Amino acid sequence: MIAPTRIRIRNIRSIRDGEITIPETGITALHGPVGSGKSTFLSAMVWALYGEVPGGLKQADMRRTGADGEPCEAEVEFRFNGQTYTAVRGLRQRGARGETREVAYARWWAVGAAGPGQDERQISPSKLTQKITELSGLSGRAYCGAFFIAQGQLTDLAEGTPAQVQQLFEEQTGLGALTKTVERRSAEARQAEEQAAAMPGSREETDAARQALDAAQQDAAQAHDEHEQAADLAQQATERLRTADQTAEALQQRHRSAEQARIDHARAEERVRHWQKRVGTLTAHIADAGTVPEAPETLAQHLDALRGATRAAEQALGQAAVAERHATEADAQARQIQTEADALADPELERRISAAKQQQNEYEQQRGALKGEYTRLSRALEALTASETACCPTCVQPLRDVHGLITDLHQQRERCITDGKNAKAKAEAAAQHHEKLLSRQQQLAQVTARLEAVRAQAATVRQQAETARQAVDQALDAMAAQLPDTTSPVDREHLLDHGRAAIDQLGEDLTQARNVYGLRSQLADAEAELAAARTDLVGRAAGATDVSDTELTEAAAALAAARAGHATALTAASEANTRFQVAAERARVLARAHEEAEARMHAKADRLHDAHILHTAVDLLAAYRRALLAEYTAAVSQAATDVLTQITDRHVRFEIDDTFVPRVYTTEGTMRPTRVLSGGEKATAALAFRLGITEQITGGSTLGMIIADEITAAHDADTRRAVLTCLSELGWPALVVSHGEEITETAQRVIRLHQADEATGTVVAA
C-alpha cells in the first residue's frame, strides 16, 4: 500500500511553507498547539493524491489567506511496492474581466535511477487521481476509510450508540450506499402501495359498467330497428306525396302557362314598339356623329407605337444627360490631378537625385579616409608613447623633439575627429536630401499613374456619352417616323412636344371612333332584337289551352290527403329516430364509463405491480445487504480479534454483528460491551475495531501507513498513553497528529509545529 515518505506544502491553510519527512517504520508525530497546522499536512496529503478536500470544503479553500498570486501547492513523495513516486497538485490564480479564479494543475513522476524529477511530466489533475487510484486499487474515500483515523472516531466506535456505530461502520466499509438504496426503495414501495390503495377502480365496478353497457346496446339496437321501419313508411308516404304533387303541379303549370301566354303576348307587343323606337334613335345619333377616317383598332396601334417611341426618346435623353455629366466630372478630375502633377514636375529631378547621391558618397568616402587617418595617428601615438627610444614609428629614425611630435600628432588626430564629425553630419544631411528627392519622385510617379487612370476613365465616359447621343438620335428618328403627319418638316428640338400633342390628338380620334363604332354595333343589335321581337310576337299569338276548374279541385284534394299521410309518417319516423338517438347516446356514455372503469382498474393494477416489483427488489437488496453485513462483521471481528490479542492478554476476542454493539470477551469467558470498559481497555478495543475495518477495506493486503488525526484528544492522559502504546506495539508505520506531550514518549520521530502567524503563516523546516 501507499507509504508517504515526504510531504511539502506551500501556502495551504495556515502554513506558508513546510516540509516533513516520514520514516517508513515506527511512529512519526506531528506535535504542536491547536491551530499550528498539524492537520493541514494530512489534508494536503489527501488533496495531493486524490484531489479530495476534507470537511466538505471547496478546492479554492485550500489557499492560505493573504497568499493571492503566490503558488498554492502540495507535493507528496511515497513508496509503493519498492518504487518511489512523487505527486504534485496545486492552484494558480488567473484573472479574466476583473475576476480571479483558481485553476488546478498537477505533476507526476517516478523517481528512477537517474534521480528524482528526471521523469517529471505535466498531467491533468483528473489524470493524476486516476493514476493514484489505479496504482493503489482504492478510491480517495476508500483510502481515507482504510488508513485515515479522524478526530473522535475511536471514541464514537467505542462509546457511540448502535446508530452512531452503524453509521461509521457503513461509511468506512462502503455499505452506507447500499443501506440508503434499500431504505429509498422501501420508501418507494410503500408509497406505491399507498398510491394504489388511494386510487379508484375495481373488477366489480368494471363488470357493472360492462353489464349496463350491454343492456344499453340492446336497447339501442331495438330502437334502431324501429327507426328503420318508421323510415320505410315515411319513404312510402313521401313517394305518394311526390306523385300527387307532380299531378297537381302539372295541372297548375298548364293553367299558369295559359295565363303567362296572354301576358307574354302583351309584353311582346310592347317589346316590338320599344326596339322600333331604339332603332330610330341610334340611326339619328350615327348621322350626327359623321364619318371616321380609320378603324379604332388601327388608331389604337398608332397610338401605342407613338407612346412607346416617345418614352424611348425621353429615356435616351435622360441617359445622355447623365453621361454628359459624368464626362464633365471626369474632365474636372483630370484637370485637378494634372495641376498636382505640374506642381510636382521638375525636369532637373533625376539630375538632382544623382547629384545628391554622389555628394553623399563623397562625404562617406571622406569620412572613411578620416577614419583611416585617425587610426594611423592613434597607432603612431601608441608607438611613440610605448617606445623606450625616441624613434620615428614610420622610418625608425631617432627623433630629437619627441614631445613636440606627440603634441603635433595629438593636434592632427583632434582635427581628424572634428573633420570626421563634420563629414558624418554632411553625409547624413546629403542622405536626407536624397531621400526627400526620391520621395518626391515617387509622389510624381503616383500622381502620373492616377492622371493616366483618370484620363482613361474620362475617355471611357466620353465614349459612353457619344453612344448615349447616338441612342438619342436613333430614338428621335424612331419617334418622328411614328408621327401621323410626316409630310411637313419637324423641328428636332420641339420633337417631343410635337409627339406629345400627336398623342393627345390620336387619343381624341380614338375616342370618337370608338363612340361611332359602338353606336353602329348597338344599331345592329337593336335591329336584331326588333326582328326577334316580331318573330316572338307571331309565335305567342297562338295562345295556350287552359285547364278546367274540376280537374284543379280534384288534384288539390288528392294532394291534401297525400300531405296529411306524409306528415303522420314523418312524425312517427322522427319519434323513432329520437328514441334511437337517446338509446345510442346512452350506450356511448356507458361505453365511456366502462372504458374509464377499465382504465382505473388497469392503472391501479399497474401501480400494485410496481409496488410488488419494488418490494421484490427491496427484499433482494436487503438480503444482499444482510449477507454483506454478516460477511463484513465477521471479517472485521476476526481482524479486530487478531489485533486485540497482539496487544493484550486480558481480552481473547472482539465481536461486532448486525446489532452494532461492539463487545469483547475476556479470558474468563465473559462478554462486555466496549462502552462499559475502562478508559485504557476502551481505547485499545476501539483501535482494534478501527484497524479491523481497515483490513476489511484493503482486502487483507499488506497494510500501509496509518494516518491518525488527534485520536486521543478526547481522552485523559492514561488513556492517551494506552492508545499510543497500543499503536506502537502493533509495529505498523503511523503518522500521528497530537498536541499532547504523551506522543513524545512513544514516537520515534517528533516534528514540532508552533502557533501560526496570521500574517505570514507557519514555516516548518525539515
Side-chain angles (χ1 to χ4, degrees):
M1 281 296 170
I2 292 176
T5 57
R6 183 175 61 85
I7 303 174
R8 182 182 180 185
I9 59 179
R10 299 174 63 190
N11 292 313
I12 295 180
R13 300 284 177 81
S14 62
I15 298 181
R16 177 165 59 87
D17 193 351
E19 180 175 344
I20 63 173
T21 57
I22 308 168
E24 296 185 41
T25 60
I27 296 178
T28 301
L30 286 179
H31 180 262
V34 176
S36 59
K38 303 183 297 300
S39 298
T40 299
F41 278 96
L42 306 186
S43 300
M45 182 189 71
V46 176
W47 179 55
L49 293 177
Y50 288 99
E52 294 191 3
V53 182
L57 300 177
K58 298 180 180 178
Q59 189 168 232
D61 296 327
M62 295 295 288
R63 178 178 293 277
R64 181 177 65 85
T65 303
D68 293 338
E70 300 180 20
C72 174
E73 184 177 86
E75 177 180 336
V76 177
E77 181 183 280
F78 63 91
R79 290 184 61 78
F80 184 84
N81 290 342
Q83 175 66 51
T84 302
Y85 301 91
T86 301
V88 179
R89 193 184 300 264
L91 298 174
R92 295 191 186 96
Q93 287 184 333
R94 291 184 179 175
R97 298 180 179 177
E99 297 181 357
T100 302
R101 60 188 181 94
E102 299 283 0
V103 179
Y105 65 89
R107 297 194 301 275
W108 159 267
W109 67 89
V111 181
Q118 295 299 319
D119 300 330
E120 181 177 356
R121 60 189 179 93
Q122 297 282 346
I123 61 174
S124 66
S126 60
K127 189 68 175 178
L128 174 60
T129 303
Q130 181 181 350
K131 279 186 172 293
I132 298 297
T133 303
E134 292 174 352
L135 188 68
S136 64
L138 297 175
S139 65
R141 179 166 296 182
Y143 175 79
C144 292
F147 302 111
F148 195 99
I149 305 177
Q151 296 185 20
Q153 195 177 90
L154 295 184
T155 302
D156 293 338
L157 287 174
E159 302 176 359
T161 64
Q164 292 174 331
V165 175
Q166 178 183 358
Q167 181 180 0
L168 277 173
F169 185 87
E170 292 190 348
E171 284 181 356
Q172 299 298 327
T173 59
L175 281 176
L178 182 58
T179 300
K180 291 180 181 178
T181 302
V182 172
E183 293 174 352
R184 185 170 62 253
R185 295 305 181 193
S186 179
E188 291 175 357
R190 289 193 301 273
Q191 183 180 5
E193 286 182 339
E194 293 172 357
Q195 290 177 351
M199 292 174 65
S202 65
R203 171 57 63 183
E204 293 77 9
E205 179 186 359
T206 304
D207 293 341
R210 177 75 259 179
Q211 293 174 1
L213 175 61
D214 293 340
Q217 288 177 342
Q218 291 178 359
D219 294 342
Q222 182 178 358
H224 181 266
D225 294 339
E226 294 175 356
H227 171 258
E228 291 291 333
Q229 294 174 2
D232 291 339
L233 294 175
Q235 182 65 28
Q236 296 173 6
T238 300
E239 292 295 331
R240 291 193 296 271
L241 176 62
R242 184 181 299 109
T243 301
D245 189 54
Q246 289 175 352
T247 302
E249 181 63 26
L251 294 174
Q252 290 290 339
Q253 183 62 32
R254 286 173 57 192
H255 179 68
R256 286 193 299 271
S257 297
E259 292 292 331
Q260 188 64 37
R262 291 189 290 270
I263 295 172
D264 291 343
H265 184 268
R267 289 177 178 174
E269 290 179 343
E270 180 63 27
R271 185 178 172 212
V272 168
R273 290 192 295 271
H274 168 74
W275 285 112
Q276 286 177 343
K277 182 177 178 181
R278 178 65 175 165
V279 167
T281 302
L282 290 173
T283 303
H285 287 171
I286 291 173
D288 294 340
T291 60
V292 178
E294 290 185 279
E297 293 79 5
T298 304
L299 290 174
Q301 292 176 358
H302 290 170
L303 180 59
D304 292 340
L306 182 56
R307 285 175 176 170
T310 303
R311 284 195 297 270
E314 291 174 346
Q315 184 177 2
L317 284 171
Q319 293 175 351
V322 173
E324 286 292 343
R325 185 174 69 254
H326 290 172
T328 302
E329 293 174 354
D331 290 341
Q333 187 178 4
R335 287 193 298 272
Q336 181 181 358
I337 297 175
Q338 182 63 53
T339 302
E340 296 178 10
D342 293 342
L344 293 172
D346 185 358
E348 296 293 327
L349 185 59
E350 292 290 342
R351 184 191 62 76
R352 292 171 61 191
I353 291 173
S354 178
K357 184 62 177 178
Q358 182 178 1
Q359 189 176 18
Q360 179 186 356
N361 292 337
E362 290 176 357
Y363 286 135
E364 291 291 346
Q365 292 173 1
Q366 183 180 357
R367 183 183 176 192
L370 289 171
K371 285 183 178 179
E373 180 64 16
Y374 175 81
T375 302
R376 185 186 66 79
L377 292 172
S378 297
R379 289 176 179 173
L381 284 171
E382 290 176 359
L384 288 174
T385 304
S387 176
E388 296 179 356
T389 60
C391 298
C392 177
T394 303
C395 60
V396 198
Q397 295 296 325
L399 298 174
R400 297 178 182 176
D401 188 6
V402 177
H403 179 72
L405 180 58
I406 290 175
T407 301
D408 182 56
L409 290 175
H410 273 296
Q411 293 174 354
Q412 293 180 29
R413 190 171 68 173
E414 291 298 327
R415 285 195 299 273
C416 282
I417 293 173
T418 302
D419 294 342
K421 291 181 179 179
N422 293 334
K424 178 182 179 182
K426 291 178 180 179
E428 291 176 350
Q432 292 177 359
H433 183 57
H434 180 257
E435 290 295 331
K436 290 181 180 179
L437 292 176
L438 287 177
S439 176
R440 182 173 181 179
Q441 186 183 37
Q442 185 177 6
Q443 292 178 1
L444 180 59
Q446 293 175 353
V447 171
T448 304
R450 286 174 53 203
L451 180 61
E452 293 299 327
V454 171
R455 285 176 176 173
Q457 182 181 4
T460 302
V461 173
R462 280 293 177 192
Q463 182 63 35
Q464 294 174 353
E466 182 61 29
T467 303
R469 285 194 292 271
Q470 293 176 2
V472 169
D473 294 339
Q474 294 175 0
L476 290 176
D477 293 340
M479 177 181 168
Q482 296 296 331
L483 291 176
D485 186 9
T486 57
T487 57
S488 59
V490 180
D491 187 2
R492 294 182 69 84
E493 295 182 358
H494 301 86
L495 187 61
L496 283 176
D497 296 336
H498 187 69
R500 295 188 184 97
I503 289 173
D504 296 338
Q505 184 61 44
L506 281 174
E508 295 176 359
D509 294 343
L510 177 60
T511 301
Q512 182 182 1
R514 286 174 175 171
N515 290 335
V516 173
Y517 273 75
L519 291 173
R520 291 177 181 176
S521 177
Q522 292 177 15
L523 177 61
D525 294 341
E527 291 175 346
E529 290 289 341
L530 178 61
R534 287 172 176 172
T535 302
D536 183 62
L537 179 62
V538 174
R540 294 185 181 280
T545 303
D546 202 352
V547 181
S548 64
D549 294 338
T550 302
E551 291 178 332
L552 291 175
T553 302
E554 292 176 353
L559 179 61
R563 285 177 177 172
H566 181 260
T568 302
L570 286 180
T571 300
S574 176
E575 292 174 353
N577 182 56
T578 300
R579 289 193 298 273
F580 167 67
Q581 294 294 336
V582 170
E585 179 61 26
R586 181 170 176 270
R588 285 193 292 270
V589 170
L590 291 175
R592 287 195 297 271
H594 177 258
E595 292 175 356
E596 292 173 355
E598 280 192 334
R600 289 193 294 271
M601 182 184 69
H602 290 317
K604 188 170 186 176
D606 291 341
R607 199 57 185 153
L608 287 172
H609 181 65
D610 294 341
H612 176 69
I613 292 176
L614 288 171
H615 274 303
T616 303
V618 168
D619 293 340
L620 292 174
L621 289 173
Y624 179 59
R625 176 184 174 278
R626 287 193 297 273
L628 286 180
L629 182 60
E631 178 184 346
Y632 287 1
T633 53
V636 170
S637 297
Q638 183 60 49
T641 298
D642 294 341
V643 174
L644 189 63
T645 55
Q646 289 183 42
I647 57 178
T648 180
D649 295 332
R650 173 66 176 162
H651 302 130
V652 296
R653 184 158 61 95
F654 177 90
E655 187 176 77
I656 182 74
D657 56 18
D658 57 0
T659 62
F660 293 102
V661 178
R663 50 193 176 271
V664 295
Y665 290 84
T666 65
T667 55
E668 291 82 7
T670 59
M671 182 275 294
R672 300 180 66 192
T674 57
R675 64 175 178 272
V676 301
L677 297 176
S678 64
E681 291 176 331
K682 189 183 299 181
T684 302
L687 183 60
F689 186 12
R690 182 60 182 80
L691 294 178
I693 294 175
T694 297
E695 184 169 345
Q696 166 61 31
I697 295 174
T698 59
S701 60
T702 303
L703 191 65
M705 179 174 288
I706 301 299
I707 312 296
D709 187 5
E710 297 286 5
I711 60 174
T712 62
H715 300 294
D716 56 21
D718 293 337
T719 304
R720 289 198 294 269
R721 289 189 178 89
V723 172
L724 296 173
T725 302
C726 174
L727 188 62
S728 176
E729 291 176 353
L730 289 175
W732 293 334
L735 177 61
V736 180
V737 170
S738 176
H739 61 269
E741 291 295 334
E742 295 81 4
I743 189 65
T744 61
E745 302 172 3
T746 308
Q748 283 72 39
R749 177 180 175 84
V750 179
I751 301 173
R752 297 185 182 275
L753 281 73
H754 301 285
Q755 188 68 33
D757 188 327
E758 292 293 336
T760 61
T762 302
V763 177
V764 180

